[in-house]
Amino acid sequence: MTDRTLTALDRLIGQLDQALHTVFGPAPVPGRASPAAGKADAELSAAERELAGRLMRINHTGEICAQALYQGQAATARLPEVRGKMDQAAQEENDHLAWTEERIRELGGHTSYLNPLWYAGSFAIGALAGVIGDKWSLGFVAETERQVVRHLEGHLQRLPAEDRKSRTILEQMREDEGRHATVAIESGGAELPEPVRRAMRCSSKIMTGTAYWL
């Protein structure tokens, strides 16, 4: 039996299916166990649990955006090896998506109601970056991950000191995201112009602000 060549319609249907699973489906099965597995849950006050849940919701939404960005870039990347890197990065982000969703449920919170909107916007941005060129697409990945690392460092400072489960998850995520940024640059990613980096920081603030409440 010969392998069937996928048409543009086939790929579109596959991307829509992946989008629906990412946004509305259950948390993906992670390739790695959660860093928080086996750790005792601390006694947190109602206010502390609410704060931790809101912060983890922001991080979960960030992972939804990361999935969409990588999938959009993989759809339009020119070189097979770049598409492979985008696919691999998206698979690794699956772990973060599963870990944060699990922790949100443990804290009694909910994922963001606006995740479908953020997924659609992030996919479009990722696809555009891929169309512009692979070096810019990789540069976009690097800058995104750098901003995520700074964002995670801020959350680690805001988390209740006793919430070791959430802290352990964010520390592992910070390590992974930093590595993704390094790999993107080493693979030929170009440094983005300052106006683009500023626009990315602005959109990130909007996302984090809305996800905190919704």
PDB file of all heavy atoms in Angstrom, residues 35-56:
ATOM      1  N   PRO A  35       6.237  17.885  37.238  1.00  0.00           N
ATOM      2  CA  PRO A  35       7.236  18.079  38.295  1.00  0.00           C
ATOM      3  C   PRO A  35       6.620  18.093  39.693  1.00  0.00           C
ATOM      4  O   PRO A  35       7.312  17.841  40.680  1.00  0.00           O
ATOM      5  CB  PRO A  35       7.859  19.438  37.953  1.00  0.00           C
ATOM      6  CG  PRO A  35       7.564  19.635  36.504  1.00  0.00           C
ATOM      7  CD  PRO A  35       6.245  18.971  36.268  1.00  0.00           C
ATOM      8  N   ALA A  36       5.319  18.393  39.755  1.00  0.00           N
ATOM      9  CA  ALA A  36       4.638  18.462  41.044  1.00  0.00           C
ATOM     10  C   ALA A  36       4.136  17.107  41.520  1.00  0.00           C
ATOM     11  O   ALA A  36       3.640  16.993  42.648  1.00  0.00           O
ATOM     12  CB  ALA A  36       3.472  19.440  40.963  1.00  0.00           C
ATOM     13  N   ALA A  37       4.250  16.090  40.690  1.00  0.00           N
ATOM     14  CA  ALA A  37       3.742  14.765  41.061  1.00  0.00           C
ATOM     15  C   ALA A  37       4.436  14.263  42.319  1.00  0.00           C
ATOM     16  O   ALA A  37       5.655  14.318  42.437  1.00  0.00           O
ATOM     17  CB  ALA A  37       3.961  13.786  39.914  1.00  0.00           C
ATOM     18  N   GLY A  38       3.629  13.799  43.254  1.00  0.00           N
ATOM     19  CA  GLY A  38       4.186  13.249  44.485  1.00  0.00           C
ATOM     20  C   GLY A  38       4.452  14.264  45.570  1.00  0.00           C
ATOM     21  O   GLY A  38       4.768  13.897  46.709  1.00  0.00           O
ATOM     22  N   LYS A  39       4.325  15.554  45.239  1.00  0.00           N
ATOM     23  CA  LYS A  39       4.545  16.586  46.252  1.00  0.00           C
ATOM     24  C   LYS A  39       3.243  16.861  47.000  1.00  0.00           C
ATOM     25  O   LYS A  39       2.174  16.926  46.392  1.00  0.00           O
ATOM     26  CB  LYS A  39       5.061  17.883  45.611  1.00  0.00           C
ATOM     27  CG  LYS A  39       6.454  17.760  45.023  1.00  0.00           C
ATOM     28  CD  LYS A  39       6.960  19.103  44.534  1.00  0.00           C
ATOM     29  CE  LYS A  39       8.368  18.970  43.968  1.00  0.00           C
ATOM     30  NZ  LYS A  39       9.334  18.557  45.001  1.00  0.00           N
ATOM     31  N   ALA A  40       3.351  17.028  48.298  1.00  0.00           N
ATOM     32  CA  ALA A  40       2.168  17.301  49.113  1.00  0.00           C
ATOM     33  C   ALA A  40       1.656  18.705  48.831  1.00  0.00           C
ATOM     34  O   ALA A  40       2.447  19.634  48.627  1.00  0.00           O
ATOM     35  CB  ALA A  40       2.510  17.156  50.595  1.00  0.00           C
ATOM     36  N   ASP A  41       0.325  18.834  48.802  1.00  0.00           N
ATOM     37  CA  ASP A  41      -0.276  20.142  48.585  1.00  0.00           C
ATOM     38  C   ASP A  41      -0.294  20.906  49.897  1.00  0.00           C
ATOM     39  O   ASP A  41      -0.752  20.393  50.920  1.00  0.00           O
ATOM     40  CB  ASP A  41      -1.699  19.994  48.043  1.00  0.00           C
ATOM     41  CG  ASP A  41      -2.088  21.140  47.128  1.00  0.00           C
ATOM     42  OD1 ASP A  41      -1.373  22.156  47.125  1.00  0.00           O
ATOM     43  OD2 ASP A  41      -3.101  21.016  46.417  1.00  0.00           O
ATOM     44  N   ALA A  42       0.212  22.133  49.876  1.00  0.00           N
ATOM     45  CA  ALA A  42       0.292  22.940  51.099  1.00  0.00           C
ATOM     46  C   ALA A  42      -1.090  23.439  51.503  1.00  0.00           C
ATOM     47  O   ALA A  42      -2.020  23.521  50.689  1.00  0.00           O
ATOM     48  CB  ALA A  42       1.233  24.115  50.886  1.00  0.00           C
ATOM     49  N   GLU A  43      -1.214  23.768  52.771  1.00  0.00           N
ATOM     50  CA  GLU A  43      -2.435  24.390  53.277  1.00  0.00           C
ATOM     51  C   GLU A  43      -2.408  25.872  52.897  1.00  0.00           C
ATOM     52  O   GLU A  43      -1.664  26.666  53.463  1.00  0.00           O
ATOM     53  CB  GLU A  43      -2.515  24.230  54.794  1.00  0.00           C
ATOM     54  CG  GLU A  43      -2.782  22.807  55.259  1.00  0.00           C
ATOM     55  CD  GLU A  43      -4.177  22.326  54.880  1.00  0.00           C
ATOM     56  OE1 GLU A  43      -5.081  23.187  54.728  1.00  0.00           O
ATOM     57  OE2 GLU A  43      -4.348  21.106  54.701  1.00  0.00           O
ATOM     58  N   LEU A  44      -3.222  26.226  51.911  1.00  0.00           N
ATOM     59  CA  LEU A  44      -3.285  27.605  51.446  1.00  0.00           C
ATOM     60  C   LEU A  44      -4.610  28.233  51.856  1.00  0.00           C
ATOM     61  O   LEU A  44      -5.635  27.549  51.920  1.00  0.00           O
ATOM     62  CB  LEU A  44      -3.153  27.661  49.919  1.00  0.00           C
ATOM     63  CG  LEU A  44      -1.895  27.045  49.299  1.00  0.00           C
ATOM     64  CD1 LEU A  44      -1.993  27.080  47.778  1.00  0.00           C
ATOM     65  CD2 LEU A  44      -0.645  27.777  49.765  1.00  0.00           C
ATOM     66  N   SER A  45      -4.576  29.525  52.138  1.00  0.00           N
ATOM     67  CA  SER A  45      -5.817  30.230  52.437  1.00  0.00           C
ATOM     68  C   SER A  45      -6.628  30.363  51.153  1.00  0.00           C
ATOM     69  O   SER A  45      -6.121  30.139  50.041  1.00  0.00           O
ATOM     70  CB  SER A  45      -5.516  31.623  52.995  1.00  0.00           C
ATOM     71  OG  SER A  45      -4.930  32.442  51.997  1.00  0.00           O
ATOM     72  N   ALA A  46      -7.897  30.749  51.296  1.00  0.00           N
ATOM     73  CA  ALA A  46      -8.753  30.907  50.120  1.00  0.00           C
ATOM     74  C   ALA A  46      -8.173  31.947  49.170  1.00  0.00           C
ATOM     75  O   ALA A  46      -8.186  31.766  47.939  1.00  0.00           O
ATOM     76  CB  ALA A  46     -10.160  31.294  50.553  1.00  0.00           C
ATOM     77  N   ALA A  47      -7.647  33.013  49.724  1.00  0.00           N
ATOM     78  CA  ALA A  47      -7.072  34.079  48.891  1.00  0.00           C
ATOM     79  C   ALA A  47      -5.816  33.583  48.169  1.00  0.00           C
ATOM     80  O   ALA A  47      -5.594  33.914  46.999  1.00  0.00           O
ATOM     81  CB  ALA A  47      -6.742  35.296  49.750  1.00  0.00           C
ATOM     82  N   GLU A  48      -5.004  32.804  48.855  1.00  0.00           N
ATOM     83  CA  GLU A  48      -3.790  32.275  48.233  1.00  0.00           C
ATOM     84  C   GLU A  48      -4.115  31.279  47.124  1.00  0.00           C
ATOM     85  O   GLU A  48      -3.473  31.287  46.068  1.00  0.00           O
ATOM     86  CB  GLU A  48      -2.910  31.614  49.293  1.00  0.00           C
ATOM     87  CG  GLU A  48      -2.245  32.600  50.248  1.00  0.00           C
ATOM     88  CD  GLU A  48      -1.520  31.914  51.377  1.00  0.00           C
ATOM     89  OE1 GLU A  48      -1.941  30.789  51.758  1.00  0.00           O
ATOM     90  OE2 GLU A  48      -0.548  32.496  51.887  1.00  0.00           O
ATOM     91  N   ARG A  49      -5.111  30.444  47.339  1.00  0.00           N
ATOM     92  CA  ARG A  49      -5.507  29.483  46.312  1.00  0.00           C
ATOM     93  C   ARG A  49      -6.060  30.217  45.091  1.00  0.00           C
ATOM     94  O   ARG A  49      -5.792  29.827  43.943  1.00  0.00           O
ATOM     95  CB  ARG A  49      -6.554  28.506  46.851  1.00  0.00           C
ATOM     96  CG  ARG A  49      -6.035  27.568  47.925  1.00  0.00           C
ATOM     97  CD  ARG A  49      -7.097  26.576  48.363  1.00  0.00           C
ATOM     98  NE  ARG A  49      -7.334  25.579  47.337  1.00  0.00           N
ATOM     99  CZ  ARG A  49      -6.588  24.478  47.172  1.00  0.00           C
ATOM    100  NH1 ARG A  49      -5.561  24.247  47.973  1.00  0.00           N
ATOM    101  NH2 ARG A  49      -6.881  23.615  46.237  1.00  0.00           N
ATOM    102  N   GLU A  50      -6.828  31.262  45.336  1.00  0.00           N
ATOM    103  CA  GLU A  50      -7.379  32.028  44.224  1.00  0.00           C
ATOM    104  C   GLU A  50      -6.267  32.691  43.419  1.00  0.00           C
ATOM    105  O   GLU A  50      -6.268  32.657  42.183  1.00  0.00           O
ATOM    106  CB  GLU A  50      -8.354  33.081  44.726  1.00  0.00           C
ATOM    107  CG  GLU A  50      -8.990  33.877  43.586  1.00  0.00           C
ATOM    108  CD  GLU A  50     -10.023  34.876  44.071  1.00  0.00           C
ATOM    109  OE1 GLU A  50     -10.177  35.032  45.302  1.00  0.00           O
ATOM    110  OE2 GLU A  50     -10.681  35.503  43.214  1.00  0.00           O
ATOM    111  N   LEU A  51      -5.297  33.296  44.106  1.00  0.00           N
ATOM    112  CA  LEU A  51      -4.181  33.937  43.418  1.00  0.00           C
ATOM    113  C   LEU A  51      -3.389  32.918  42.605  1.00  0.00           C
ATOM    114  O   LEU A  51      -3.095  33.140  41.422  1.00  0.00           O
ATOM    115  CB  LEU A  51      -3.256  34.620  44.424  1.00  0.00           C
ATOM    116  CG  LEU A  51      -1.942  35.176  43.848  1.00  0.00           C
ATOM    117  CD1 LEU A  51      -2.224  36.235  42.796  1.00  0.00           C
ATOM    118  CD2 LEU A  51      -1.052  35.732  44.966  1.00  0.00           C
ATOM    119  N   ALA A  52      -3.049  31.793  43.231  1.00  0.00           N
ATOM    120  CA  ALA A  52      -2.280  30.765  42.524  1.00  0.00           C
ATOM    121  C   ALA A  52      -3.057  30.245  41.317  1.00  0.00           C
ATOM    122  O   ALA A  52      -2.487  30.025  40.241  1.00  0.00           O
ATOM    123  CB  ALA A  52      -1.943  29.620  43.476  1.00  0.00           C
ATOM    124  N   GLY A  53      -4.368  30.057  41.490  1.00  0.00           N
ATOM    125  CA  GLY A  53      -5.191  29.567  40.379  1.00  0.00           C
ATOM    126  C   GLY A  53      -5.233  30.546  39.222  1.00  0.00           C
ATOM    127  O   GLY A  53      -5.171  30.138  38.054  1.00  0.00           O
ATOM    128  N   ARG A  54      -5.322  31.832  39.541  1.00  0.00           N
ATOM    129  CA  ARG A  54      -5.342  32.849  38.485  1.00  0.00           C
ATOM    130  C   ARG A  54      -4.001  32.891  37.752  1.00  0.00           C
ATOM    131  O   ARG A  54      -3.954  33.010  36.516  1.00  0.00           O
ATOM    132  CB  ARG A  54      -5.661  34.215  39.074  1.00  0.00           C
ATOM    133  CG  ARG A  54      -7.104  34.372  39.544  1.00  0.00           C
ATOM    134  CD  ARG A  54      -7.335  35.774  40.108  1.00  0.00           C
ATOM    135  NE  ARG A  54      -8.647  35.924  40.684  1.00  0.00           N
ATOM    136  CZ  ARG A  54      -9.757  36.254  40.007  1.00  0.00           C
ATOM    137  NH1 ARG A  54      -9.671  36.452  38.689  1.00  0.00           N
ATOM    138  NH2 ARG A  54     -10.909  36.379  40.617  1.00  0.00           N
ATOM    139  N   LEU A  55      -2.906  32.798  38.489  1.00  0.00           N
ATOM    140  CA  LEU A  55      -1.586  32.816  37.860  1.00  0.00           C
ATOM    141  C   LEU A  55      -1.388  31.594  36.978  1.00  0.00           C
ATOM    142  O   LEU A  55      -0.846  31.690  35.860  1.00  0.00           O
ATOM    143  CB  LEU A  55      -0.491  32.892  38.923  1.00  0.00           C
ATOM    144  CG  LEU A  55      -0.438  34.174  39.758  1.00  0.00           C
ATOM    145  CD1 LEU A  55       0.671  34.098  40.798  1.00  0.00           C
ATOM    146  CD2 LEU A  55      -0.246  35.401  38.863  1.00  0.00           C
ATOM    147  N   MET A  56      -1.821  30.439  37.448  1.00  0.00           N
ATOM    148  CA  MET A  56      -1.694  29.233  36.622  1.00  0.00           C
ATOM    149  C   MET A  56      -2.607  29.306  35.401  1.00  0.00           C
ATOM    150  O   MET A  56      -2.276  28.768  34.338  1.00  0.00           O
ATOM    151  CB  MET A  56      -2.001  27.988  37.451  1.00  0.00           C
ATOM    152  CG  MET A  56      -1.008  27.734  38.587  1.00  0.00           C
ATOM    153  SD  MET A  56       0.722  27.648  38.048  1.00  0.00           S
ATOM    154  CE  MET A  56       0.747  26.053  37.239  1.00  0.00           C
TER     155      MET A  56
END
